[in-house]
Amino acid sequence: MLVKCETKSNRVKGLSFHPKLSWILASLHNGTIQLWDYRIGSLIDKFEEHEGGPVRGVCFHASQPLFVSGGDDYKIKVWNYKLRRCIFTLLGHLDYIRTVEFHDEYPWILSASDDQTIRIWNWQSRSCIAVLTGHNHYVMCAHFHPKEDLAVSASLDQTVRVWDTSGLRDKTVSIGGGGGGPPPSQGASDVFGTSDAVVKYMLEGHERGVNWAAFHPTLPLIVSGADDRLIKLWRMNDSKAWEIDTLRGHFNNVSCAIFHPKKELILSNSEDRTIRVWDTNKRTGIHTFRRENDRFWILTAHRTSNLIAVGHDAGMVVFKLDCERPMAQCQGSHLYVVQDRDVHAIDMDKSLTGSQMASCRRASNAMTSGMKSLQFNTLNTTETNVLVYYTQDNGCYDLFVGPNNLSGDTHISPKQGDAQAVAFTARNRFAVLQHSGSIGIYNLQNELSKKFDPPVATDYIFPGGNNRILLKSEEKIVMYDLTARKVVDEVAVPGGVRYTIWSQNGQYVAFMSKHNVLLAGKNLEYYHSFHENIRVKSGSWDENGVFVYSTLSHVKYCLPNGDSGIIHSLQNPIYIQRVHKRVMYYIDRERNVNKQRLNCTEYLFKLSLHQRKFNDVKMWIQEGRLTGNAVIGYLKQKGFPEVALHFVHDQQTRFNLALEYGHIEEAMAAAQELEDPACWNRLGLEALRQGNQQIVEMVYQKTKNFDALSFLYLITGNTSKLKKMLKIAEMRNDVMSRFNNALMLGAVEERIKIMAEMGQVPLAALTAKAHNCQEFIPKLEEQLQGNDISAHIPNNARLLLPPVPLCRPTSSDSANWPLTKSVKQIIEESTFKNMPAPGDQQPFMDAMEPEDTEAPGGGWDDGDLDLSPGEAVVAGADWGDMDDLDLGPQIVEETPVVEDKSMSVSMGDSVQTKWLKRRKLPADLVAAGEFEEALGLLKRRLGVINADPLEPLFKEAFWATCSSLPTLPQNQSLTWPLLSEGYPKSKDVTPMIMYTSKVVIDKVKEGQKLTTQGKFGEALTMFRSALQAIPLSVATDAQEEKNLTEMIEWCREYVNFTRMEVARKQLAATDVARNIEMAAYLTCCKVQSKTHQCLALQLAMFTSFKNSNFVTAASFAKRLVQGNWGEQGNAIVPKARQVLAKSEQTASDAQSINFDPKGNPEDMKLCAGSFTLLKATDPAVKCPFCGSTYKASYKGKLCETCKLSEIGANTLGIQLRPI
């Protein structure tokens, strides 16, 4: 039984498949009707208008959006599932209604009831057109014949009756296609025995009441099941019907029995909690499916597929009896497929039908095909080698070996053998997984060449390439090299691998489980993995390295970088065999080979963008007509907004896009088309931010913002245009604008005139006297009429004039400000815009404000245990060999510089150029001010994607090499670089390095002191700053390089150590298990200090003991007792012995945690993102800089340890001295 959907509900009494959609109706014993999508296993809707008990019958209409139901409330209801309501009710039955059914052709509903009648209703006229009487007990079911004018009914009167409805058909057609019912008088006479629907056969043979009867879909057969625990098979012809056999096996009432719509099978279920499958031809039982606690009540089959649904006491199950996946494999243009149990070879470039090349074994029974897989030997180019594997007979295989140029139908004799799995491994070899667990290597004559035991317990094997094999061990896949006899690599796929799909060139492989797909390289390098909510059915690699796969409902794609999308939807499932030149070749469930042109534009566009092929990107955008916000959002997400401008035609969108990313010229062109004042204002703000004076001036002129225009001319020193603004203000009669322009021009006479004109004579006179403008004073004094204003002039008055522009733009100069990249811009550009938030999957965050303690060691919990007095470990400052690091003298390898002798006089190299010619490490580039190049180098070396923490380090390292000497007033200061070797005029110079190994080691020592004091937040900041400073350090020799490399490991362990402790302290008091778990994980960190190791064990021991995890506490106490802690152990070891003794007395854990006390802490791997243990079989990725280990799902995200690098990036590695 291949279960496709299983639901939990009240007892299911009726079931009906939708003829086209993946829906099924389930009527329940509590009166509810449920509508399920069995493809995704979700409940779509509920219908609850029946009252008074169970709904026993339900049926979908074949073409209309209708279904009918009948229940114990004596009502038949017709529903419209699009309107989600009952549209009318048919009344007439006088007792419980057992089954209801639509006719496929006529507007009829057939109903069976406990009132001993069967009724036929016209649902268009909403009336009863026939009442079939004759049964003298409850009628348990009634069904129309799928093709003929017959109906069958089963009753508890121990009979099965076949009814002839041809007379009713003739009457319906004569009336006009069933549009209206018969006249009332005629309908009344039908009840009393007219010949519209009469009994044709009455089948007697059951000894107890019959519960179910059903027609065969094509043959003149009837099957029935009864309370006598028997299933009877009946045959009929035009004149009679008779019993042909009885099937025995059930040991309780048979609830339902039906014919399989596609196979010669009978399916029955019973109250004995079993479903039984019978062979129609042999009339024998094939298989029995049992359920422990639930009785079965109803059974139905999909008309056009192999789906079967069964209802039981606790819900329903939708299942298949056998797998429908076609056995096929494609190699180039040739497809090898099993059709009708024959192997066919098809050249898909020429035709979709091929020739027969061999025949497979016969199936062991009619229920299952017994076939598992077909494999073609892609490693042999001179012959045709095909392996067909069967699950029958406890596992066996057929090997077909034939010539390459097969023409016409041939018959290749198979070489047979027994196996648990088979796979080709070389040109003339294949591997057989034997039932004993060992693997045998056979030649093409089916002779054993060698035999070996696999390195892991193997469930199945898959092809792995030339002289390689893939071993499946539960959810793990191991690649094993047969020549070197070693494991190449391994990956884990949740759910276990079912199928492997290799690309044609053998560079990529996809591992498929029920809902998960993992993409990897030929050596099992992890690329990407994803999960689908509905089943993944098949897939194929196209020639571009894109994986195209199908689910039950869609054809989708996935690029190696993880980008994915939907190509189109599916009505029926397909099995993709090949994708080539934008054409998809697939096989449907009827084993027909088809091809279809794919719309690959979207994924080819994304692939071109990923590969930086911008000409192809433009071509796909134009040819594929890619538009919409989704494409714009994708381009913005990937950091290529300017590409969107090539295909966006909406001017408002172009304007917003161009403005968002600073494309002033594009934005101005769009604004000219829009002519919207709001757009001009936004453009002016952006142009002003960029210093583009010409566009700002044009925008202010367009919007007539005269005040802003005047101020622009003031700050740019354009006095000639400022004078024009004064004249314009005068023409506009704008007094305040005239006055402001005069003030900005320093035109005192103009200001005096304005104040006098406006009647402000005292102010005008005061201004004239203050500025000693003698030509205005006499006339103004006359108007003052003797009032003296001299007393109002302050003694310390100063001349108020605008500053004189030092540099006025000429006609040949550009007025726009030069655009240079600031440090912040360089840093921002170096940070990936599309990087996901690092905290998405991390349940614990580092504390920004750690809880500080004044007393040393205050952050370490001593524990309040009921033990004899004893002191905890006194945290000391023993730093091991940190003080004894022999860093050695700084040795710089001299590199000869060849002089370029020339007769002409040229500018000499700057000091920065000199040291960059000699050495170009990140520290040298930063010291020279080449921040952008330094970031580029760090990206290539360490995969840096977050440059924010480097900004202050870059500035400090840069200023550490700078000094300046003041010169004469109004002149620039002289810059003088600080050098560690040489002098400015010499050829060999080396800049002053800010972050030497001594500085890094001092930071680590300070962090260790803070850790000992329990200031974990401050310690975390210190260790992380030391870690981030190491890329900007320089090693003078191999020993110093080794020391710095060790510092990376030290800092990584301490950063993760302090991160975990900070996160543990933030846990809620109720989260006891996680508290114990994280305390235990602290003991797995490889911190260098014995003090910290001892403190971590002490903390874990106390935490476990206080929370009654005595087994865990005993493991930590044992490690403390067995450890060598020196003097500091004198205080803690006695207490550890007491904890060990008390823990061993109880020997139980109150909290279940993910930690093995018996395991070796050295072998435990922690995910630095989620702070959880990684299993040995789990795929893991690492940070290319600090080496922190993460789960595979963290690939591509920011490392939480160093906060610099991309997890899982493929980089060159750190370089600390010249090669």
Side-chain angles (χ1 to χ4, degrees):
M1 178 185 290
L2 304 177
V3 176
K4 300 300 178 183
C5 175
E6 186 166 2
T7 68
K8 301 295 183 184
S9 66
N10 206 291
R11 180 186 301 169
V12 176
K13 300 296 289 184
L15 290 169
S16 177
F17 280 106
H18 193 282
K20 295 180 180 178
L21 302 175
S22 59
W23 292 354
I24 186 169
L25 280 169
S27 59
L28 309 184
H29 196 265
N30 62 1
T32 302
I33 302 170
Q34 295 181 338
L35 178 59
W36 290 85
D37 187 327
Y38 55 80
R39 188 164 53 183
I40 58 177
S42 64
L43 179 64
I44 300 174
D45 211 340
K46 286 183 178 181
F47 307 91
E48 298 178 322
E49 290 189 24
H50 276 286
E51 299 175 355
V55 179
R56 301 178 186 273
V58 68
C59 181
F60 270 116
H61 194 277
S63 57
Q64 298 296 322
L66 305 174
F67 70 87
V68 61
S69 63
D72 284 7
D73 55 0
Y74 313 163
K75 296 176 182 177
I76 297 173
K77 290 182 178 289
V78 178
W79 311 72
N80 187 312
Y81 55 74
K82 286 187 176 179
L83 301 177
R84 302 176 64 185
R85 64 181 178 85
C86 174
I87 53 177
F88 60 87
T89 301
L90 301 175
L91 299 175
H93 280 295
L94 305 176
D95 207 336
Y96 299 164
I97 297 169
R98 293 287 179 172
T99 63
V100 287
E101 183 175 284
F102 278 111
H103 195 280
D104 287 347
E105 184 178 353
Y106 301 117
W108 295 348
I109 295 172
L110 182 67
S111 61
S113 170
D114 285 0
D115 63 6
Q116 304 180 14
T117 67
I118 302 158
R119 289 178 180 254
I120 300 177
W121 311 78
N122 188 314
W123 59 265
Q124 290 181 343
S125 64
R126 305 183 183 181
S127 62
C128 178
I129 59 175
V131 180
L132 282 61
T133 60
H135 285 294
N136 53 26
H137 209 304
Y138 299 162
V139 183
M140 300 301 290
C141 76
H143 302 288
F144 284 118
H145 194 283
K147 295 179 181 179
E148 300 179 17
D149 296 322
L150 298 174
V152 65
S153 62
S155 170
L156 294 187
D157 62 6
Q158 304 179 14
T159 66
V160 175
R161 295 179 184 241
V162 179
W163 307 81
D164 187 347
T165 59
S166 57
L168 190 64
R169 187 271 315 268
D170 296 338
K171 181 181 292 188
T172 302
V173 173
S174 66
I175 291 173
S185 60
Q186 185 175 344
S189 64
D190 286 343
V191 177
F192 299 102
T194 63
S195 59
D196 289 348
V198 297
V199 176
K200 189 173 184 180
Y201 312 117
M202 186 170 68
L203 310 178
E204 296 178 318
H206 284 289
E207 297 177 358
R208 290 192 179 182
V210 186
N211 292 316
W212 202 265
F215 287 114
H216 192 283
T218 56
L219 299 175
L221 297 175
I222 297 172
V223 65
S224 61
D227 287 347
D228 58 6
R229 307 176 185 179
L230 302 179
I231 299 165
K232 290 187 178 290
L233 195 60
W234 315 80
R235 182 178 291 275
M236 61 183 180
N237 57 22
D238 293 337
S239 59
K240 64 176 180 177
W242 65 97
E243 178 184 340
I244 58 175
D245 213 338
T246 301
L247 307 177
R248 293 175 171 83
H250 285 292
F251 48 89
N252 207 333
N253 301 340
V254 179
S255 305
C256 191
I258 62 171
F259 289 102
H260 194 284
K262 289 192 172 185
K263 298 182 178 181
E264 294 301 318
L265 298 173
I266 295 173
L267 293 97
S268 63
N269 63 7
S270 166
E271 295 179 39
D272 62 6
R273 300 180 177 86
T274 65
I275 302 171
R276 295 179 185 263
V277 183
W278 315 81
D279 190 317
T280 305
N281 297 323
K282 298 179 180 179
R283 291 138 196 192
T284 57
I286 297 176
H287 196 79
T288 301
F289 302 105
R290 298 185 183 277
R291 199 169 182 91
E292 292 298 326
N293 302 313
D294 301 316
R295 295 167 296 174
F296 292 105
W297 298 102
I298 183 68
L299 191 66
T300 188
H302 198 287
R303 293 188 179 186
T304 57
S305 74
N306 287 319
L307 288 171
I308 299 163
V310 62
H312 54 79
D313 284 334
M316 71 165 180
V317 181
V318 179
F319 65 96
K320 290 180 184 177
L321 295 175
D322 192 20
C323 180
E324 295 181 278
R325 174 178 296 273
M327 304 298 108
Q329 183 174 343
C330 183
Q331 172 61 22
S333 64
H334 289 82
L335 177 68
Y336 299 88
V337 58
V338 175
Q339 295 175 331
D340 298 327
R341 304 199 75 82
D342 294 324
V343 180
H344 291 255
I346 302 173
D347 189 342
M348 293 182 291
D349 288 345
K350 297 178 181 178
S351 172
L352 296 180
T353 58
S355 56
Q356 177 184 342
M357 58 174 287
S359 296
C360 301
R361 303 186 188 190
R362 295 183 61 183
S364 57
N365 57 59
M367 186 179 80
T368 59
S369 66
M371 304 178 69
K372 173 72 173 177
S373 66
L374 177 145
Q375 293 181 36
F376 176 79
N377 190 359
T378 60
L379 305 172
N380 191 347
T381 57
T382 59
E383 283 183 320
T384 298
N385 307 145
V386 175
L387 272 173
V388 177
Y389 177 69
Y390 308 86
T391 54
Q392 63 192 42
D393 302 329
N394 202 23
C396 54
Y397 65 89
D398 285 347
L399 171 66
F400 302 98
V401 179
N404 230 355
N405 51 353
L406 291 171
S407 59
D409 290 346
T410 58
H411 182 77
I412 302 174
S413 299
K415 300 177 178 65
Q416 300 180 339
D418 297 329
Q420 192 176 337
V422 289
F424 284 109
T425 60
R427 181 184 62 83
N428 56 353
R429 294 285 188 274
F430 67 96
V432 173
L433 176 60
Q434 299 173 344
H435 296 290
S436 62
S438 59
I439 296 177
I441 305 298
Y442 289 73
N443 59 24
L444 296 183
Q445 284 71 43
N446 204 22
E447 299 169 345
L448 180 64
S449 299
K450 63 178 179 179
K451 189 176 178 181
F452 67 94
D453 291 325
V456 293
T458 305
D459 310 328
Y460 204 79
I461 59 175
F462 299 98
N466 195 14
N467 287 316
R468 289 182 173 183
I469 189 171
L470 294 171
L471 312 175
K472 175 181 176 291
S473 178
E474 295 180 349
E475 294 190 349
K476 183 171 64 175
I477 285 286
V478 177
M479 178 174 278
Y480 185 73
D481 192 312
L482 297 172
T483 306
R485 296 186 178 181
K486 67 175 183 179
V487 173
V488 178
D489 207 342
E490 62 182 49
V491 295
V493 180
V497 174
R498 293 189 172 191
Y499 311 101
T500 61
I501 297 105
W502 284 90
S503 60
Q504 291 292 325
N505 58 8
Q507 297 299 312
Y508 308 105
V509 63
F511 298 104
M512 292 170 46
S513 67
K514 191 174 184 179
H515 292 281
N516 298 282
V517 179
L518 184 143
L519 308 182
K522 66 177 182 179
N523 294 322
L524 256 56
E525 310 97 323
Y526 176 86
Y527 286 158
H528 183 63
S529 61
F530 54 90
H531 174 84
E532 291 285 347
N533 290 326
I534 59 177
R535 293 175 183 84
V536 182
K537 304 305 290 183
S538 64
S540 177
W541 296 89
D542 78 345
E543 66 273 17
N544 301 300
V546 178
F547 186 63
V548 180
Y549 64 99
S550 68
T551 64
L552 279 172
S553 57
H554 292 93
V555 174
K556 299 184 177 183
Y557 67 86
C558 183
L559 274 61
N561 67 343
D563 288 337
S564 60
I566 298 174
I567 298 177
H568 63 78
S569 60
L570 292 172
Q571 186 173 2
N572 296 307
I574 64 172
Y575 299 89
I576 301 173
Q577 301 300 319
R578 184 192 188 203
V579 178
H580 184 64
K581 292 183 178 179
R582 305 171 71 180
V583 176
M584 177 179 69
Y585 300 86
Y586 65 91
I587 304 175
D588 58 25
R589 283 183 166 169
E590 282 69 40
R591 305 296 190 270
N592 299 318
V593 182
N594 305 279
K595 69 177 180 179
Q596 175 185 345
R597 189 159 188 84
L598 280 185
N599 183 6
C600 307
T601 306
E602 181 181 322
Y603 79 67
L604 291 174
F605 153 71
K606 291 182 178 180
L607 185 66
S608 301
L609 191 68
H610 173 65
Q611 296 173 347
R612 304 296 194 269
K613 297 178 180 178
F614 294 108
N615 290 332
D616 292 347
V617 170
K618 187 175 181 181
M619 178 192 71
W620 291 122
I621 287 174
Q622 293 173 349
E623 288 188 2
R625 299 178 182 177
L626 293 174
T627 56
N629 293 329
V631 178
I632 296 174
Y634 180 82
L635 290 167
K636 289 168 64 176
Q637 180 190 22
K638 297 298 182 182
F640 300 101
E642 63 277 2
V643 177
L645 294 173
H646 288 289
F647 68 89
V648 174
H649 300 293
D650 179 66
Q651 295 299 332
Q652 186 65 51
T653 307
R654 288 181 66 85
F655 177 79
N656 294 333
L657 198 63
L659 208 62
E660 186 176 354
Y661 290 91
H663 295 278
I664 292 295
E665 291 77 10
E666 292 286 347
M668 186 174 68
Q672 288 173 343
E673 293 287 335
L674 293 169
E675 285 296 340
D676 182 14
C679 291
W680 284 114
N681 288 331
R682 290 175 59 198
L683 178 62
L685 289 173
E686 179 61 24
L688 189 63
R689 190 184 69 82
Q690 293 189 15
N692 196 321
Q693 297 178 28
Q694 295 171 342
I695 292 182
V696 173
E697 181 181 1
M698 186 195 72
V699 168
Y700 288 165
Q701 290 172 356
K702 281 271 188 184
T703 57
K704 296 183 180 180
N705 193 345
F706 298 111
D707 293 338
L709 195 58
S710 297
F711 190 72
L712 175 69
Y713 293 148
L714 171 68
I715 62 175
T716 56
N718 200 332
T719 54
S720 60
K721 290 189 177 180
L722 198 54
K723 290 177 182 177
K724 291 182 181 179
M725 293 302 299
L726 180 60
K727 293 180 181 178
I728 292 171
E730 190 173 354
M731 292 169 61
R732 291 169 45 233
N733 293 324
D734 189 340
V735 178
M736 284 307 301
S737 181
R738 281 179 63 196
F739 186 83
N740 288 335
N741 281 296
L743 190 65
M744 289 186 284
L745 280 168
V748 180
E749 296 85 353
E750 187 67 24
R751 283 156 48 200
I752 294 172
K753 286 180 183 180
I754 294 169
M755 286 187 285
E757 289 173 3
M758 300 309 297
Q760 299 291 335
V761 178
L763 284 177
L766 188 65
T767 305
K769 279 199 171 187
H771 291 85
N772 197 22
C773 295
Q774 295 296 330
E775 65 270 23
F776 297 105
I777 293 175
K779 292 182 180 180
L780 293 171
E781 285 183 344
E782 289 177 4
Q783 298 180 24
L784 288 174
Q785 300 176 355
N787 292 328
D788 187 16
I789 61 170
S790 300
H792 296 283
I793 300 175
N795 296 326
N796 57 348
R798 294 184 178 183
L799 183 63
L800 181 61
L801 286 176
V804 179
L806 297 178
C807 180
R808 288 186 173 88
T810 62
S811 57
S812 60
D813 296 334
S814 173
N816 296 337
W817 300 344
L819 296 177
T820 59
K821 291 183 179 179
S822 67
V823 173
K824 187 174 182 180
Q825 285 176 312
I826 295 172
I827 296 296
E828 288 177 352
E829 287 178 6
S830 302
T831 303
F832 287 173
K833 304 294 184 187
N834 61 335
M835 186 186 67
D840 288 348
Q841 300 182 14
Q842 180 176 335
F844 304 101
M845 300 297 291
D846 296 337
M848 299 304 293
E849 297 292 337
E851 181 182 354
D852 197 0
T853 49
E854 296 297 330
W860 297 94
D861 296 334
D862 291 335
D864 186 13
L865 305 181
D866 185 16
L867 301 171
S868 58
E871 297 296 329
V873 172
V874 179
D878 180 15
W879 305 111
D881 59 352
M882 287 289 294
D883 293 327
D884 302 325
L885 285 177
D886 183 12
L887 302 181
Q890 293 186 349
I891 302 173
V892 179
E893 182 181 350
E894 296 186 358
T895 305
V897 180
V898 180
E899 292 188 17
D900 184 13
K901 297 183 179 180
S902 175
M903 296 300 293
S904 61
V905 178
S906 60
M907 181 74 71
D909 290 336
S910 65
V911 180
Q912 289 83 356
T913 305
K914 289 179 181 179
W915 77 53
L916 289 180
K917 281 184 177 180
R918 183 184 181 193
R919 192 178 67 191
K920 232 178 187 181
L921 296 177
D924 302 314
L925 290 167
V926 171
E930 300 291 340
F931 288 5
E932 192 169 8
E933 189 176 352
L935 280 174
L937 180 59
L938 289 175
K939 273 186 185 179
R940 294 190 299 274
R941 286 275 172 194
L942 305 178
V944 172
I945 58 174
N946 179 29
D948 292 340
L950 296 176
E951 183 177 357
L953 300 178
F954 275 23
K955 289 179 179 179
E956 288 180 6
F958 174 70
W959 288 116
T961 62
C962 297
S963 64
S964 62
L965 182 66
T967 58
L968 295 174
Q970 304 298 325
N971 286 335
Q972 293 182 351
S973 299
L974 296 177
T975 58
W976 195 263
L978 299 178
L979 304 175
S980 60
E981 291 184 16
Y983 56 95
K985 290 187 178 181
S986 64
K987 297 176 184 178
D988 299 333
V989 294
T990 303
M992 186 70 69
I993 301 300
M994 174 75 176
Y995 300 107
T996 61
S997 60
K998 184 178 183 305
V999 171
V1000 173
I1001 292 172
D1002 288 343
K1003 282 177 174 282
V1004 172
K1005 286 182 179 181
E1006 183 62 28
Q1008 288 180 319
K1009 289 181 182 177
L1010 293 168
T1011 304
T1012 305
Q1013 296 170 8
K1015 300 178 181 179
F1016 299 107
E1018 295 178 27
L1020 172 60
T1021 304
M1022 185 61 65
F1023 284 123
R1024 187 172 277 157
S1025 67
L1027 184 61
Q1028 293 167 349
I1030 291 176
L1032 303 183
S1033 184
V1034 176
T1036 56
D1037 55 17
Q1039 180 61 38
E1040 194 168 358
E1041 183 180 28
K1042 180 182 177 183
N1043 292 338
L1044 285 171
T1045 306
E1046 288 180 354
M1047 286 300 106
I1048 296 176
E1049 298 178 4
W1050 284 31
C1051 291
R1052 177 193 69 217
E1053 295 299 327
Y1054 271 107
V1055 167
N1056 289 330
F1057 183 85
T1058 51
R1059 281 181 62 219
M1060 275 195 287
E1061 180 58 16
V1062 169
R1064 190 186 70 85
K1065 285 181 174 291
Q1066 292 178 340
L1067 291 174
T1070 55
D1071 201 353
V1072 178
R1074 182 61 175 165
N1075 195 341
I1076 301 171
E1077 194 173 71
M1078 293 191 71
Y1081 292 162
L1082 288 175
T1083 66
C1084 300
C1085 294
K1086 301 176 179 63
V1087 292
Q1088 299 299 315
S1089 171
K1090 286 282 188 181
T1091 299
H1092 299 152
Q1093 294 175 14
C1094 185
L1095 286 168
L1097 285 169
Q1098 180 183 354
L1099 175 65
M1101 179 182 71
F1102 289 159
T1103 305
S1104 302
F1105 192 88
K1106 285 193 296 185
N1107 293 289
S1108 302
N1109 264 42
F1110 299 111
V1111 175
T1112 311
S1115 67
F1116 300 131
K1118 190 177 296 183
R1119 287 168 62 182
L1120 281 169
V1121 170
Q1122 295 174 352
N1124 182 17
W1125 312 111
E1127 294 182 1
Q1128 59 190 356
N1130 296 335
I1132 187 60
V1133 169
K1135 186 176 289 188
R1137 293 184 188 278
Q1138 296 177 19
V1139 170
L1140 181 60
K1142 288 202 171 186
S1143 298
E1144 287 178 346
Q1145 290 174 5
T1146 308
S1148 64
D1149 278 347
Q1151 302 290 334
S1152 176
I1153 62 172
N1154 185 18
F1155 181 81
D1156 184 8
K1158 299 179 182 178
N1160 186 0
E1162 297 291 330
D1163 298 334
M1164 294 183 184
K1165 292 192 298 183
L1166 279 174
C1167 173
S1170 59
F1171 296 145
T1172 55
L1173 281 178
L1174 286 169
K1175 298 179 182 177
T1177 58
D1178 291 344
V1181 288
K1182 290 191 175 184
C1183 171
F1185 169 41
C1186 66
S1188 293
T1189 306
Y1190 292 85
K1191 294 178 180 177
S1193 58
Y1194 281 83
K1195 182 179 173 63
K1197 297 185 179 182
L1198 178 66
C1199 175
E1200 282 299 301
T1201 302
C1202 63
K1203 290 286 186 182
L1204 294 177
S1205 299
E1206 177 188 359
I1207 300 169
N1210 190 12
T1211 61
L1212 299 172
I1214 193 168
Q1215 182 183 4
L1216 296 170
R1217 66 183 183 128
I1219 299 175

